[in-house]
């Protein structure tokens, strides 16, 4: 760093104490060495002027511990004890600072110096210091003790004056208030009163005879009685509150630390910090009129950032028990030794929470604050959590520096604690500008994966307590915690809820969300209630988790492989075109994990209730419009799935409105009433049951015919009743009632009369569809003396051949017509409908079970088909195969078996 050299006392591995002790300096007499490390601050020059021969007032230094009082008093001691060296020192600084008035300060000579740091408690009484140290001390002690009964408890004014007349004296008492406040003051031991009286005597002599006695004391504040006594004599005060105090303290620090700091030019420093300074102006929005002042501050503070020095001095050390300047020197020395060759300016980010050898340790040793130590441990754990969550280190190249800077800035007092993101970016900037976007992305990764970083407005701050949101998101980003697939299950659950919602939607539709292995093994990842065998009468709405090419072929193959019944009832809900697998969508999965964990934790920690609701709302908001298309089967081909055709349409709905919107589109645009009517009339001609009609409608039509969209059992039954109300069909309800349109009755009247009368469940197996003509209004059948009565359901004779019939039939429009004819009559069965049915024979050569399933499909056989005379022929099989076959045969049917057993 521009050849900057630490003083030799700071170069060792173990840094010695930096505190100046007045007693040590008095004994060591190292005037030149001490003056070399001393900077002539304004307070120091003011004090030298105050004790010059022309002044006649006591001097009092007021300041808290660590502000440099001992250093100033030691310098003053050397000015009395070594006036020549002090004069040379002033001449040198007058030249360096280009301030000729400095070498014009007169220096006293011929003074005897009595200096003592009173906090060491070496003396009970102040006069003992004078009597022990002063050349005439023993003489004066003898005179005092020789007074006999006239001897006073306190060394008197005349004796002190006589002593300083014999030898002019400078008295320097450091830490006077500390010593004075420790004195007892009882009737038996009134030592504090004695000290009060003696300091009064010294003050009066110093004021009345300034050429004989100079009195200088240091106190922490102006509240002590002893100070008040000195204050009565109008002393000169040095209180470290002048205009140039901060500048001088900064220069004192740098001069104390480095041998050659004064020799490094301003232009070299500006070149060294050019990038950092420019970024500081930009990031902190420094106005152009202020930039010159800020630049000067940076040059004055180098190699440290002025913000760092202010942070340490004004916000951290002042709030603790640290000895301010003396400890600050130690902190900065260790911090400087920790830096690498790539450091151009030392900022808050230069403190490394990971390195126990550097400035962090000396800082913690100085402030001795357990809270700050614990906060460092929290910061270290947060850094570890960030690195565990973000495996790609190039995404978080500045994580250590950022967290270190934020930790240090979080030690400041009250409203100053923490830092905005721009300040942290400035802290980590050295000689190369960091891209804003990259930094803020990195910053977000750090914040989102840290437990103890809290946000207060624009500022971030480390706190001992955990940040619930940060902790939640850090857990959510840790892939290792979700290897059991609970996050996928939660995402699927939230998708199902968004689409089905509560109430009516869930009652009408069964929403099934497929998971990762949906193409090869979809049911393995789902619960028992979602298996096809457990489906009830609700319309299945199957959510496909990703967009795939050749969607129709994939869905056709999926239906053929994974669904064996009710294929025509299924509606597929498809994601937006181009959507990858939703379970690989990091944002959706992150929200799902946050919802999952917050749901777990909210029971014991109420703060997670709000977070649960927040992230659940975010997740559901993303999911509401993710699935914008649906598909239903149009043309089915079991043997060649690629030939399957589907209607794929957009529905333009969101969330729980999707199922009903899809249903409306199917009912209004895809459902053809004419096809349905034709299908029903064919069933009526064959007198088939409503149950069989429903069963066949739930299966795709074969032979390349377009499927009739399944609208659900309730709506299909309603349409059947509508056809009945129109007079197109009639319904026989379990031989208990026949529904049909009466002569002269309007469609509306019929509908009002029959609606709601169609049963459910097993009743539908006993409810038959028939043509209206099958319900006679009046009839007369003549045979050779035998008669069939209307509605009797039985003949009155047997063996009849020629029959003449005269039957009145109610036509669909309500008109009555009479049919006459002869021939072989169809005798009504007990249900009053024809009992003849046609049979079609199908056969196949020996082939595999899979091919037989395809054959059955091509013959139009589905789960609702009624079959007779079914035989299987197997040329050869093992006993195990036979047992397996027998176990799989359905109950309720009788079987006949014949076989030849070998051996």
């Amino acid at each position: 760093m521009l050849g900057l050299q630490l003083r030799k006392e700071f170069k060792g591995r173990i840094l010695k104490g930096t505190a100046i002790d007045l007693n040590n300096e008095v004994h060591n007499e190292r005037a030149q060495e001490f003056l070399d490390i001393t900077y002539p601050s304004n307070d120091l020059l003011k004090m030298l002027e105050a004790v010059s021969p022309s002044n006649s007032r006591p001097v009092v230094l007021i300041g808290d511990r660590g502000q440099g009082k001992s250093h100033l008093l030691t310098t003053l001691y050397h000015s009395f004890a070594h006036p020549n060296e002090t004069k040379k020192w002033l001449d040198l600084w007058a030249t360096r600072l280009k301030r000729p008035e400095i070498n014009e300060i007169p220096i006293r000579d011929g003074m005897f110096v009595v200096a003592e740091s009173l906090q060491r408690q070496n003396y009970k009484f102040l006069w003992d210091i004078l009597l022990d140290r002063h050349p005439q001390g023993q003489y004066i002690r003898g005179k005092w003790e020789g007074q006999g009964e006239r001897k006073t408890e306190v060394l008197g004014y005349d004796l002190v004056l006589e002593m300083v007349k014999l030898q002019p004296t400078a008295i320097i008492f450091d830490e006077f208030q500390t010593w004075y406040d420790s004195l007892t003051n009882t009737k038996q031991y009134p030592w504090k009163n004695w000290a009060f009286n003696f300091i009064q005597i010294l003050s009066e002599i110093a004021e009345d005879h300034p050429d004989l006695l100079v009195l200088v004391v240091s106190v922490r504040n102006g509240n002590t009685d002893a100070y008040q006594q000195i204050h009565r004599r109008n002393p000169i005060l040095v209180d470290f509150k002048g205009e140039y105090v901060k500048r001088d303290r900064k220069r004192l620090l740098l001069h104390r630390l480095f041998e050659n700091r004064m020799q490094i030019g301003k232009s070299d420093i500006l070149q060294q910090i050019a990038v950092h300074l420019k970024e500081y102006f930009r990031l902190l929005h420094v106005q152009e009129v202020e930039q010159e002042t800020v630049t000067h501050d940076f040059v004055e503070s180098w190699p440290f950032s002025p913000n760092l020095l202010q942070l340490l001095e004004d916000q951290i050390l002042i709030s603790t028990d640290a000895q301010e300047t003396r400890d600050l020197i130690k902190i900065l020395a260790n911090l400087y030794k920790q830096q690498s060759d790539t450091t151009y300016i030392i900022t808050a980010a230069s403190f490394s929470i990971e390195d126990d050898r550097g400035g962090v340790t000396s800082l913690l040793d100085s402030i001795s604050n357990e809270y700050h130590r614990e906060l460092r441990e929290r910061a270290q754990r947060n850094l570890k959590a960030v690195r565990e969550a973000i495996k790609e280190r190039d995404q978080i190249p500045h994580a250590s520096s950022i967290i270190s800077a934020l930790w240090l800035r979080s030690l400041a007092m009250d409203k100053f604690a923490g830092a905005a993101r721009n300040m942290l970016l400035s802290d980590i900037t050295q000689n190369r500008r960091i891209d804003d976007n990259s930094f803020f992305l990195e910053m977000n990764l750090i914040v989102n994966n840290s437990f103890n970083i809290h946000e207060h407005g624009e500022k971030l701050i480390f706190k001992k307590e955990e940040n619930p949101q940060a902790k939640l998101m850090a857990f959510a980003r840790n892939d290792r915690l979700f290897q059991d697939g609970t996050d996928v299950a939660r995402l699927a659950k939230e998708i199902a809820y968004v689409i089905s919602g509560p109430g009516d939607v869930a009652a009408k539709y069964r929403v099934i969300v497929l998971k990762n292995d949906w193409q090869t093994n979809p049911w393995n990842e789902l619960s028992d209630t979602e298996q096809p065998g457990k489906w009830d009468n609700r319309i299945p709405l199957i959510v496909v988790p990703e967009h795939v090419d050749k969607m129709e072929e994939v869905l056709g193959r999926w239906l053929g492989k994974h669904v064996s019944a009710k294929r025509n009832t299924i509606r597929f809900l498809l994601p937006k075109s181009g959507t990858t697998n939703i379970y690989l969508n990091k944002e959706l999965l992150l929200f799902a994990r946050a919802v999952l964990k917050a749901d777990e934790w909210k029971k014991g920690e109420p703060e997670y209730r709000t977070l649960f609701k927040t992230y659940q709302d975010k997740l559901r908001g993303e999911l509401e419009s993710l699935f914008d298309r649906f598909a239903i089967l149009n043309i089915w081909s079991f043997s060649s799935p690629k030939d399957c055709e589907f209607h794929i349409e957009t529905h333009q709905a969101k969330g729980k409105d999707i199922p009903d919107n899809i249903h409306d589109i199917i009912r209004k645009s895809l459902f053809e009433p004419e096809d349905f009517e034709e299908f029903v009339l064919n069933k009526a001609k064959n007198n088939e049951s409503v149950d069989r009609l429903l069963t066949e409608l739930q299966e795709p039509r074969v032979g390349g015919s377009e499927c009739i969209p399944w609208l659900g059992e309730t709506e299909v039954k309603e349409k059947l009743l509508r056809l009945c109300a129109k007079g197109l069909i009639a319904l026989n309800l379990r031989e208990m009632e026949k529904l049909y349109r009466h002569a002269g009755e309007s469609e509306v009247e019929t509908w009002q009369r029959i609606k709601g009368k169609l049963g459910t469940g097993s009743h539908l197996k006993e409810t038959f569809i028939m043509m209206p003509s099958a319900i006679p209004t009046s009839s007369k059948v003549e045979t050779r003396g035998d008669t069939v009565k209307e509605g009797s359901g039985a003949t009155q004779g047997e063996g009849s051949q020629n029959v003449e019939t005269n039957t009145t039939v109610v036509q669909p429009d309500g008109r009555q017509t009479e049919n006459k004819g002869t021939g072989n009559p169809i005798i009504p069965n007990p249900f009053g409908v024809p009992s003849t049915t046609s049979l079609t024979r199908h056969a196949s050569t020996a082939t595999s079970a899979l091919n037989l399933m395809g054959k059955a499909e091509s013959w139009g056989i589905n789960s609702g088909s009624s079959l007779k005379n079914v035989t299987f022929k197997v040329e050869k099989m093992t006993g195990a195969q036979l047992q397996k076959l027998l176990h799989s045969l359905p109950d309720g049917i009788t079987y006949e078996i014949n076989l030849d057993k070998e051996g």
Side-chain angles (χ1 to χ4, degrees), residues 20-32:
I20 300 299
D21 189 293
L22 179 61
N23 283 18
N24 290 339
E25 289 299 324
V26 168
H27 294 122
N28 291 333
E29 293 291 325
R30 299 174 301 176
Q32 185 63 50

Side-chain angles (χ1 to χ4, degrees), residues 20 29 48 89 99 114 157 252 262 345 361 508 521 572 579 593 648 659 722 728 780 821 859-860 872 882:
I20 300 299
E29 293 291 325
L48 290 174
W89 173 76
R99 293 176 58 187
V114 176
Y157 182 98
L252 185 151
M262 297 293 296
I345 185 169
T361 302
K508 292 166 59 179
N521 196 2
F572 294 98
T579 303
R593 291 173 175 182
I648 298 180
R722 290 286 183 184
L728 297 178
K780 182 179 181 182
W859 296 337
F872 289 91
L882 176 61

Side-chain angles (χ1 to χ4, degrees), residues 783 800-805 821-826:
T783 64
S800 301
Q801 298 296 325
N802 297 320
V803 181
E804 181 179 344
T805 62
T822 59
N824 297 325
I826 299 176

Side-chain angles (χ1 to χ4, degrees), residues 874 876-888:
V874 181
K876 186 177 182 180
M877 66 192 312
T878 65
Q881 290 172 326
L882 176 61
Q883 289 180 350
K884 184 175 181 181
L885 176 62
L886 294 177
H887 281 299
S888 62

Side-chain angles (χ1 to χ4, degrees), residues 497-536:
Y497 183 86
V498 164
I499 297 167
S500 65
D504 295 341
V505 177
K508 292 166 59 179
Y509 307 94
R510 174 185 288 275
V511 177
I512 300 170
V513 183
L514 300 180
K515 297 183 181 176
N516 278 313
D517 201 18
W518 71 277
Q519 290 197 54
T520 57
N521 196 2
W523 313 121
N524 186 51
E525 298 178 291
L526 301 181
S527 66
D528 289 343
T529 59
E530 295 177 304
Q531 305 292 325
K534 298 294 181 67
W535 291 355
D536 51 23

Side-chain angles (χ1 to χ4, degrees), residues 411-424:
L411 302 183
M413 296 187 300
D414 304 329
K415 65 179 182 180
F416 299 102
R421 287 172 168 82
N422 280 350
M423 177 59 78
L424 296 173

Side-chain angles (χ1 to χ4, degrees), residues 3-211:
L4 197 60
Q5 293 292 323
L6 276 173
R7 293 190 183 277
K8 61 181 180 180
E9 61 189 284
F10 300 119
K11 291 181 179 180
R13 186 176 63 86
I14 300 176
L15 192 63
K16 297 179 181 179
T18 60
I20 300 299
D21 189 293
L22 179 61
N23 283 18
N24 290 339
E25 289 299 324
V26 168
H27 294 122
N28 291 333
E29 293 291 325
R30 299 174 301 176
Q32 185 63 50
E33 184 179 340
F34 179 83
L35 291 173
D36 281 345
I37 66 171
T38 302
Y39 175 82
S41 66
N42 274 13
D43 284 327
L44 176 55
L45 297 177
K46 177 182 178 181
M47 191 176 62
L48 290 174
E49 289 178 344
V51 299
S52 64
S54 59
N55 287 306
S56 60
R57 294 156 59 189
V59 178
V60 178
L61 273 68
I62 300 180
D64 289 326
R65 299 173 62 193
Q67 288 193 326
K69 300 190 303 295
S70 297
H71 197 116
L72 266 62
L73 292 178
T74 302
T75 306
L76 184 61
Y77 164 79
H78 286 301
S79 73
F80 290 126
H82 309 94
N84 292 333
E85 285 83 351
T86 304
K87 186 62 179 174
K88 291 178 183 178
W89 173 76
L90 289 174
D91 292 343
L92 176 64
W93 279 104
T95 303
R96 282 180 177 176
L97 300 178
K98 299 179 181 180
R99 293 176 58 187
E101 70 275 13
I102 291 179
N103 62 8
E104 295 176 1
I105 298 174
I107 301 297
R108 286 182 185 250
D109 56 8
M111 302 289 288
F112 182 80
V113 188
V114 176
E116 176 70 19
S117 290
L118 296 177
Q119 85 275 9
R120 288 195 171 191
Q121 300 292 338
N122 290 327
Y123 293 91
K124 183 183 297 185
F125 305 114
L126 293 179
W127 51 82
D128 284 339
I129 301 174
L130 279 177
L131 297 176
D132 287 352
R133 304 261 186 95
H134 197 277
Q136 303 300 322
Q138 294 302 318
Y139 168 71
I140 297 299
R141 184 188 294 275
K143 288 189 67 173
W144 184 32
E145 292 177 351
Q147 291 178 347
E149 293 182 358
R150 293 175 51 247
K151 181 179 179 294
T152 58
E153 299 292 344
V154 178
L155 183 63
Y157 182 98
D158 293 339
L159 291 175
V160 175
L161 181 59
E162 180 181 356
M163 182 167 54
V164 296
K165 283 181 178 179
L166 294 172
Q167 172 62 62
T169 305
I171 298 177
I172 302 174
F173 288 150
D174 192 11
E175 296 292 347
F176 173 71
Q177 182 176 347
T178 303
W179 173 83
Y180 182 82
D181 288 345
S182 68
L183 295 176
T184 60
N185 198 34
T186 64
K187 185 176 182 180
Q188 184 178 3
Y189 302 109
W191 296 339
K192 185 173 288 190
N193 288 339
W194 295 351
F196 181 89
N197 292 337
F198 189 68
I199 203 70
Q200 181 180 6
I201 291 171
L202 294 180
S203 300
E204 290 176 358
I205 295 174
E207 183 179 9
D208 298 339
H209 304 280
D211 56 324

